[in-house]
């Protein structure tokens, strides 16, 4: 008869998944921060009068991407917190 997994095995796997998801959220935030820095540099180095409409559009788009990355990281943190609370309450 095959060994049944212990309750510690799924808990350990869930803990590992939560930690990995936290790392991913941190990576997403870092990418958003890097994008914000690049946008700031471009906006300050290129005067508005010298920028083409395409450059302005690209800057606006990357600003929206930065915001979406931050929202995604926040959502991932909320999910991680939920799973971690559930793990502690069940553990």
């Amino acid at each position: 008869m095959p060994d049944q997994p212990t309750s510690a095995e799924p808990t350990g796997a869930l803990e590992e998944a939560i930690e990995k998801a936290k790392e991913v959220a941190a990576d997403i935030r870092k990418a958003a921060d890097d994008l914000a820095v690049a946008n700031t540099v471009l906006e300050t180095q290129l005067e508005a009068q010298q920028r083409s409409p395409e450059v302005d559009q690209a800057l606006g788009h990357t600003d929206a991407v930065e915001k979406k990355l931050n929202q995604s990281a926040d959502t991932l943190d909320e999910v991680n917190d939920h799973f971690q609370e559930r793990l502690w309450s069940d553990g």
Side-chain angles (χ1 to χ4, degrees), residues 1-41:
M1 182 170 193
D3 291 334
Q4 294 294 324
T6 66
S7 63
E9 289 173 0
T11 300
L14 183 56
E15 287 174 344
E16 194 174 311
I18 290 169
E19 287 307 311
K20 184 62 105 175
K22 286 180 180 180
E23 291 173 15
V24 169
D27 289 345
I28 291 170
R29 277 205 173 72
K30 172 88 170 80
D33 290 346
D34 290 347
L35 191 55
V37 169
N39 276 349
T40 300
V41 169

Side-chain angles (χ1 to χ4, degrees), residues 9-89:
E9 289 173 0
T11 300
L14 183 56
E15 287 174 344
E16 194 174 311
I18 290 169
E19 287 307 311
K20 184 62 105 175
K22 286 180 180 180
E23 291 173 15
V24 169
D27 289 345
I28 291 170
R29 277 205 173 72
K30 172 88 170 80
D33 290 346
D34 290 347
L35 191 55
V37 169
N39 276 349
T40 300
V41 169
L42 289 172
E43 288 172 351
T44 57
Q45 294 299 312
L46 297 172
E47 293 184 30
Q49 304 88 336
Q50 295 175 336
R51 292 193 299 240
S52 68
E54 292 82 8
V55 170
D56 281 334
Q57 184 179 10
L59 287 171
H61 178 72
T62 56
D63 186 52
V65 170
E66 175 207 343
K67 287 181 174 118
K68 183 64 176 172
L69 287 170
N70 279 316
Q71 289 171 347
S72 296
D74 290 344
T75 300
L76 188 53
D77 283 339
E78 290 173 16
V79 170
N80 291 337
D81 290 345
H82 173 76
F83 280 129
Q84 200 155 26
E85 288 171 13
R86 182 71 182 223
L87 181 66
W88 288 339
S89 69

